[in-house]
């Protein structure tokens, strides 16, 4: 009898704990929701946030506001969401820089822990990088480019959109893996990077397909390889793994996060609704026009990917990152 009473007490206690969270999810959202983008307005991440905000606002009947909190390569916006109440009303839409900013030497003074301080909601798109070169170079393939750089030591360089960000780290990894001596020339963003490659100030570099796509189509740059698996956006361009460089078998991402401690039912509601947005034909078409492929990776799988990336980028930054 006592055992039965104990079981009933435990069940009632569990119900008392779970019920408020379920109730909160069923009522969510009852007021405006903010999506923090930790980069300036106008970029691909900002565009994805605004597409998502428009559709979610229509679905929920509540305003969904995009708040651009740029600074320190994404750290400022991430910190803003980290300290916000864990109720689902302030979210972070960011990219792989969330992980890269806090690995290597920076880990000791990192303002947040990507795993401990945030709850992954859903991975929204991939962000594939492609290695491109100036088309005036006599190199039609990656192997020809490698041979060219080795024939002409100290004469070639590669650009990036910023120190110790994805494009730089991919370039540094390739430089090391291929045994090249290219100098790194950082720029402040995709636009100046593309200008450098088109203008011949650098021999090549990694760029997102979203940024490089129009230049590839126009013939002002030449695509030699993609990081990660072969992309449907550039089906004729081989992957680095295919060409003998498994070190570059990695894909960037855009993903939504909530503060750690956000109730699971609220996270589930957010994940389901955002995944639904990513399946809308008009949204798929808009993202593909931006050279982004919707993924809709669920919370648990996205979280596993973040942990995997944390280990990958920590190793890369410690090996080839700039101090």
């Amino acid at each position: 009898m006592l055992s039965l009473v104990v079981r009933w007490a435990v069940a009632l206690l569990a119900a008392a704990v779970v019920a408020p969270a379920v109730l909160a999810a069923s009522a969510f959202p009852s007021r405006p929701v903010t999506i923090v983008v930790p980069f300036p307005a106008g970029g691909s991440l900002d565009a994805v946030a605004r597409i998502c905000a428009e559709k979610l606002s229509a679905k929920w009947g509540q305003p969904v506001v995009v708040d651009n909190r740029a600074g320190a390569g994404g750290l400022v916006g991430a910190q803003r969401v980290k300290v916000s109440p864990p109720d689902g009303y302030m979210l972070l839409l960011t990219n792989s820089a969330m992980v890269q900013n806090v690995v290597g030497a920076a880990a000791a003074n990192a303002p947040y822990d990507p795993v401990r301080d945030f709850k992954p909601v859903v991975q929204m798109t991939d962000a594939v990088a492609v290695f491109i070169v100036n088309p005036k170079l006599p190199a039609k393939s990656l192997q020809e480019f490698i041979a060219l750089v080795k024939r002409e030591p100290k004469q070639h360089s590669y650009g990036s959109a910023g120190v110790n960000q994805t494009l730089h780290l991919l370039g540094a990894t390739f430089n090391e893996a291929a045994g090249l001596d290219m100098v790194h020339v950082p720029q402040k963003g995709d636009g100046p990077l593309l200008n450098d490659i088109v203008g011949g100030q650098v021999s090549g570099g990694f760029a997102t397909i979203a940024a490089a796509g129009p230049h590839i189509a126009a013939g002002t740059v030449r695509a030699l390889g993609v990081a990660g698996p072969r992309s449907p956006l550039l089906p004729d361009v081989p992957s680095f793994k295919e060409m003998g460089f498994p070190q570059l078998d990695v894909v960037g991402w855009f993903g939504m996060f909530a503060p750690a401690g956000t109730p699971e039912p609220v996270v589930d509601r957010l994940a389901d609704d955002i995944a639904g947005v990513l399946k809308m034909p008009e949204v798929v078409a808009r993202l593909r026009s931006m050279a982004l492929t919707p993924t809709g990776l669920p919370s648990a799988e996205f979280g596993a990917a973040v942990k995997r990336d944390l280990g990958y980028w920590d190793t890369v930054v410690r090996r080839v990152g700039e101090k």
Side-chain angles (χ1 to χ4, degrees):
M1 183 66 180
L2 182 60
S3 176
L4 181 61
V5 170
V6 170
R7 287 202 297 271
W8 270 105
V10 170
L12 288 172
L13 181 60
V17 171
V18 172
V22 173
L23 192 61
S26 65
F28 179 87
S30 58
R31 53 187 171 85
V33 174
T34 298
I35 299 175
V36 173
V37 175
F39 298 99
S44 297
L45 194 66
D46 178 66
V48 172
R50 293 180 189 280
I51 292 169
C52 185
E54 175 191 346
K55 297 299 184 183
L56 290 177
S57 180
K59 180 177 181 62
W60 292 338
Q62 292 287 347
V64 180
V65 179
V66 176
D67 181 9
N68 296 92
R69 293 290 183 108
L75 290 174
V76 172
Q79 179 72 1
R80 173 78 178 93
V81 176
K82 171 192 168 181
V83 300
S84 67
D87 53 15
Y89 286 93
M90 182 167 291
L91 306 170
L92 175 70
L93 177 56
T94 189
N95 58 21
S96 312
M98 179 195 196
V99 171
Q100 294 152 357
N101 283 336
V102 295
V103 294
N109 300 308
Y112 62 79
D113 181 307
V115 175
R116 184 190 63 225
D117 295 328
F118 295 93
K119 175 66 177 178
V121 176
V122 60
Q123 185 194 96
M124 297 182 67
T125 77
D126 62 18
V128 179
V130 57
F131 186 73
I132 53 177
V133 298
N134 185 289
K136 293 180 181 179
L137 292 176
K140 300 292 196 299
S141 69
L142 189 71
Q143 293 304 326
E144 290 181 2
F145 178 78
I146 292 171
L148 173 67
V149 175
K150 288 185 174 180
R151 277 198 315 271
E152 300 176 344
K154 308 297 183 184
Q155 295 185 41
H156 295 273
S157 57
Y158 70 97
S160 81
V163 173
N164 288 348
Q165 299 295 313
T166 305
L167 305 179
H168 164 221
L169 296 172
L170 290 174
T173 298
F174 169 53
N175 202 33
E176 179 191 63
L180 306 180
D181 64 354
M182 293 188 292
V183 174
H184 174 222
V185 180
Q187 285 289 0
K188 294 182 179 179
D190 285 339
L193 164 64
L194 267 296
N195 289 339
D196 271 3
I197 298 173
V198 172
Q201 282 77 31
V202 297
S203 299
F206 279 92
T208 61
I209 294 181
H215 293 277
I216 294 170
T220 52
V221 300
R222 180 181 297 132
L224 299 185
V226 294
R230 191 179 289 232
S231 171
L233 300 169
L234 293 173
D236 297 327
V237 179
S239 71
F240 273 83
K241 185 177 180 180
E242 290 175 57
M243 296 184 288
F245 295 98
Q247 304 93 328
L248 292 158
D249 189 25
V250 62
V251 177
W253 43 258
F254 292 175
M256 193 76 79
F257 295 82
T262 301
E264 287 292 341
V266 172
V267 173
D268 291 344
R269 172 74 189 276
L270 286 165
D272 288 346
D273 289 349
I274 294 170
V277 167
L278 295 173
K279 293 175 183 176
M280 294 179 178
E282 66 271 26
V283 172
V284 172
R286 288 176 71 181
L287 292 177
R288 289 192 179 279
S289 73
M290 297 160 55
L292 296 170
T293 302
T295 54
L297 202 63
S299 176
E301 294 177 51
F302 184 28
V306 171
K307 290 179 182 177
R308 186 172 60 246
D309 281 3
L310 194 60
Y312 173 86
W313 289 116
D314 185 64
T315 300
V316 169
V317 168
R318 291 181 188 278
R319 192 177 68 243
V320 298
E322 294 184 12
K323 304 298 187 284

